[in-house]
Amino acid sequence: QVQLVESGGGLVQAGGSLSLSCAASGRAFSGYATGWFRQAPGKEREIVAAINWSGGNIYYADSVKGRFTISRDNAKNTVFLQMNSLKPEDTAVYYCARDSGYCPDYGCPPSKFLHEYDYWDQGTQVTVSS
């Protein structure tokens, strides 16, 4: 059974920073890309960023480019999302998830599509006040 446990999040003022981490049980991340998603009230869940297993291929949504950084520590089976220059529109529940496609190669592109992620964590609230 794959388990993803997320930590971090909380309340911050606009312009501030928060970091999220997502730890996987065992070697559940080994060879798989991982993505961060968010869902604001009344909106659909959307991808924020994704990183392949090797860290050699990273995707960012246009809305967070230059502000958010995704990274991973494979020795600790953990993926991180550093969020800087936060805006009120970044307020949402944030989720991490595992890409269902096994691809350990350096250049493998992580999926940008929700339906291609198979394991999800419980989500954590990020609130940015104006």
Side-chain angles (χ1 to χ4, degrees):
Q1 180 71 15
V2 175
Q3 288 188 320
L4 306 182
V5 179
E6 185 177 346
S7 60
L11 173 65
V12 67
Q13 288 187 333
S17 298
L18 284 174
S19 62
L20 304 177
S21 64
C22 177
S25 58
R27 295 180 57 80
F29 277 160
S30 183
Y32 294 89
T34 306
W36 286 99
F37 299 79
R38 67 186 181 187
Q39 187 166 17
K43 295 188 176 181
E44 294 186 352
R45 192 170 299 186
E46 62 178 4
I47 189 168
V48 173
I51 184 170
N52 71 350
W53 164 246
S54 69
N57 198 320
I58 291 174
Y59 168 82
Y60 291 103
D62 288 343
S63 58
V64 305
K65 279 181 182 176
R67 300 188 298 121
F68 289 13
T69 302
I70 188 172
S71 61
R72 67 189 305 152
D73 183 340
N74 290 337
K76 297 181 179 179
N77 296 308
T78 302
V79 178
F80 306 94
L81 185 68
Q82 178 64 40
M83 304 181 290
N84 298 329
S85 302
L86 283 160
K87 304 175 181 180
E89 51 263 43
D90 294 318
T91 295
V93 177
Y94 283 69
Y95 302 87
C96 69
R98 191 189 78 167
D99 189 331
S100 61
Y102 177 77
C103 190
D105 298 338
Y106 183 80
C108 283
S111 174
K112 305 172 188 178
F113 306 107
L114 275 69
H115 69 272
E116 293 183 352
Y117 285 78
D118 54 3
Y119 291 100
W120 295 77
D121 80 312
Q122 77 283 359
T124 192
Q125 178 70 44
V126 170
T127 302
V128 184
S129 63
S130 58

